[in-house]
Amino acid sequence: MEKINCEICAFKNPKATVTAIIIKNNKILLLKRNEEPFKGNWDLPGGYMQEDETPDQTLKREIKEELGIDDTKLTFIKTLPGNGQWKEYYYPILNHFFLTEIAGNIEINKENSEFQFVDLKSINVTDIAFDSNQKIIVELQKKFVFDMVRVKELVNQLDSSVVVDEQSLYKAILNGFIAKKYDGEKLIGLGWIFPRQTILRKQAVIEDMIVDQTYRGKGFGKEILLELIEWAKKEGIDTIELTSNPKRIAANELYKKSGFKLHPTNHYLYFCK
């Protein structure tokens, strides 16, 4: 290739990269790098975008190359700035992170020497290659660390027919906010709120509010509800909506005392599947 000398080459425009966040049972997939930079450090699957690729196309290609897997589902998380390195050169990057679901057996290529699923909460970020990856790990440790057994137990108290999907929990966090209540390290309650923009207003919906039956009547439900309301106010929400079974007497009384008004309307559900 002919060497090009131009002013634009001196601009520090970031290079685009993509990274997969693959989590199972609250353990995240890490790869041990077999190449410089950061040879021997743990890394997340991903790489650089090529010409004419979209971020999701790039990540699917990288997962095929690094893990030998074709079957993927991607949910965008966020972008984070960081720094890349090629030999002695350092440059800015913009890393696109995706929550990634995979199906199939992992077969790593020569870029990495081994892989492990590691407890998200136990990761020391200084062991992770690249600063943008370290940043996302810190965020995931704040938002995605859950005792999945307790989550399933709590949700089953709300609806015993429901099967809790781990990936749906993470997507719910990305689409809104989950308030959690603990007794020491034991998860005893949670509630989820998510925003939606209609033609008329910016709304939010509260769903899946539950307190462990052995902890009810102690004010934990009110604390969760107020935390969800506070989140909505900070997000500039105009109206908060929730529904509740009339048989849940204590819950309905809590909603009324917290300022919710009973709206005279029929509530219909249409199941697409």
Side-chain angles (χ1 to χ4, degrees):
M1 181 182 293
E2 182 182 356
K3 186 176 182 180
I4 300 175
N5 294 311
C6 61
E7 290 184 18
I8 197 171
C9 299
F11 294 171
K12 292 187 177 181
N13 303 104
K15 294 183 179 297
T17 62
V18 296
T19 297
I21 302 299
I22 302 172
I23 307 178
K24 293 182 179 180
N25 298 318
N26 222 221
K27 296 182 178 181
I28 189 168
L29 177 64
L30 299 180
L31 308 176
K32 181 167 284 189
R33 291 180 62 84
N34 205 29
E35 299 175 348
E36 296 292 353
F38 300 106
K39 183 177 180 179
N41 281 51
W42 291 103
D43 197 4
L44 298 167
Y48 289 92
M49 290 179 61
Q50 295 181 354
E51 186 177 11
D52 295 327
E53 280 186 332
T54 61
D56 57 322
Q57 289 172 338
T58 300
L59 191 51
K60 289 181 179 181
R61 171 179 58 77
E62 288 286 347
I63 290 174
K64 172 63 176 176
E65 293 174 2
E66 292 190 23
L67 307 181
I69 289 178
D70 290 302
D71 190 354
T72 60
K73 295 180 181 178
L74 307 180
T75 301
F76 180 68
I77 299 177
K78 68 184 304 182
T79 57
L80 284 172
N83 295 283
Q85 181 183 348
W86 173 251
K87 297 182 179 179
E88 70 273 21
Y89 298 102
Y90 295 85
Y91 45 85
I93 65 169
L94 189 61
N95 204 340
H96 301 67
F97 293 93
F98 290 83
L99 180 65
T100 305
E101 301 169 64
I102 60 174
N105 296 321
I106 295 175
E107 296 181 8
I108 58 175
N109 64 3
K110 63 180 181 180
E111 294 179 43
N112 303 287
S113 60
E114 63 177 290
F115 72 89
Q116 288 186 10
F117 278 92
V118 181
D119 279 325
L120 182 57
K121 65 180 179 181
S122 68
I123 295 175
N124 185 341
V125 294
T126 60
D127 296 331
I128 304 299
F130 299 106
D131 56 354
S132 60
N133 287 344
Q134 293 177 354
K135 293 174 186 177
I136 197 66
I137 291 294
V138 170
E139 291 196 24
L140 294 175
Q141 288 176 328
K142 292 178 180 178
K143 295 181 179 180
F144 276 24
V145 172
F146 277 90
D147 181 342
M148 290 305 303
V149 173
R150 284 295 297 155
V151 171
K152 292 176 182 179
E153 290 174 352
L154 287 172
V155 174
N156 283 335
Q157 289 182 25
L158 188 66
D159 186 345
S160 59
S161 67
V162 171
V163 177
V164 178
D165 177 71
E166 181 181 8
Q167 300 304 313
S168 295
L169 174 64
Y170 301 138
K171 292 174 186 177
I173 296 169
L174 295 175
N175 291 332
F177 171 70
I178 291 183
K180 297 172 283 185
K181 187 60 60 177
Y182 288 88
D183 180 8
E185 294 186 358
K186 182 180 180 181
L187 180 66
I188 62 171
L190 54 81
W192 176 49
I193 187 170
F194 64 94
R196 67 182 182 191
Q197 181 66 58
T198 70
I199 297 175
L200 300 179
R201 61 184 65 87
K202 187 176 182 181
Q203 295 179 326
V205 180
I206 291 177
E207 291 275 5
D208 305 326
M209 261 197 63
I210 182 69
V211 173
D212 187 290
Q213 55 192 7
T214 60
Y215 287 85
R216 293 174 190 170
K218 299 180 180 180
F220 294 120
K222 181 178 180 180
E223 291 178 12
I224 292 171
L225 182 62
L226 292 179
E227 190 173 349
L228 297 176
I229 293 172
E230 185 61 26
W231 178 88
K233 290 179 178 179
K234 290 180 180 178
E235 293 295 312
I237 299 297
D238 299 315
T239 306
I240 302 174
E241 174 187 333
L242 63 78
T243 60
S244 184
N245 191 315
K247 295 180 180 180
R248 299 183 66 199
I249 296 175
N252 281 276
E253 287 302 314
L254 170 62
Y255 303 146
K256 293 175 184 177
K257 290 179 180 178
S258 300
F260 285 84
K261 306 297 182 183
L262 189 60
H263 189 54
T265 184
N266 294 331
H267 183 226
Y268 295 96
L269 296 176
Y270 182 88
F271 297 98
C272 298
K273 293 183 180 180

